[in-house]
Amino acid sequence: VEIGESVRGEDVYIVQSGCGEINDNLMELLIMINACKIASASRVTAVIPCFPYARQDKKDKSRAPISAKLVANMLSVAGADHIITMDLHASQIQGFFDIPVDNLYAEPAVLKWIRENITDWKTCCIVSPDAGGAKR
């Protein structure tokens, strides 16, 4: 990773998906955050639409990791000042951070799109892969 221009004193926003090659993307994000901080950026905000390891937010059995907390710690240590994410698996993940976190919700935009693009939306059925998703 190389920052192509001066970020000294600037507010920097880094958008990085947490899906696809999760570990590669996460490491790239951490390195970009750190590179901006080392280059004297005033503030670094990480925009992470799909937060990596968000489903590992609690211990479900003995010796299981809480990986979402580890990711939160790594982002803070790398130098992030603010995190913006979407539809976290559990709102408790926001408590893993010592920096501000904005968890945005896609539901209003999705509902608007359905109403505008699906003519018989009132008779449609929306399905979910699990009970948690059904609540949403």
Side-chain angles (χ1 to χ4, degrees):
V1 171
E2 184 177 326
I3 308 302
E5 60 186 75
S6 175
V7 295
R8 182 179 304 277
E10 299 290 340
D11 286 343
V12 177
Y13 291 82
I14 301 172
V15 181
Q16 177 69 292
S17 174
C19 56
E21 297 293 329
I22 295 170
N23 294 327
D24 292 345
N25 289 343
L26 179 58
M27 277 306 298
E28 186 176 71
L29 174 61
L30 294 169
I31 293 168
M32 284 189 289
I33 291 168
N34 190 255
C36 289
K37 286 308 258 190
I38 289 172
S40 299
S42 174
R43 180 176 158 96
V44 178
T45 300
V47 181
I48 313 168
C50 183
F51 192 80
Y53 296 99
R55 294 191 59 156
Q56 294 180 352
D57 59 341
K58 62 182 177 279
K59 289 177 71 83
D60 55 354
K61 54 186 142 183
S62 178
R63 297 177 303 278
I66 305 175
S67 303
K69 171 86 171 127
L70 176 61
V71 172
N73 290 341
M74 290 190 303
L75 289 163
S76 295
V77 169
D81 297 296
H82 185 200
I83 303 295
I84 300 173
T85 189
M86 289 195 69
D87 292 320
L88 283 173
H89 183 254
S91 58
Q92 70 194 27
I93 294 173
Q94 292 180 51
F96 294 166
F97 287 90
D98 296 327
I99 58 176
V101 177
D102 287 324
N103 180 31
L104 306 178
Y105 297 97
E107 182 183 355
V110 171
L111 289 174
K112 181 177 186 275
W113 186 91
I114 289 171
R115 287 187 187 113
E116 291 175 357
N117 294 288
I118 298 178
T119 53
D120 294 333
W121 64 269
K122 288 183 180 182
T123 60
C124 289
C125 178
I126 298 175
V127 297
S128 172
D130 57 31
K135 280 191 268 183
R136 279 191 305 277

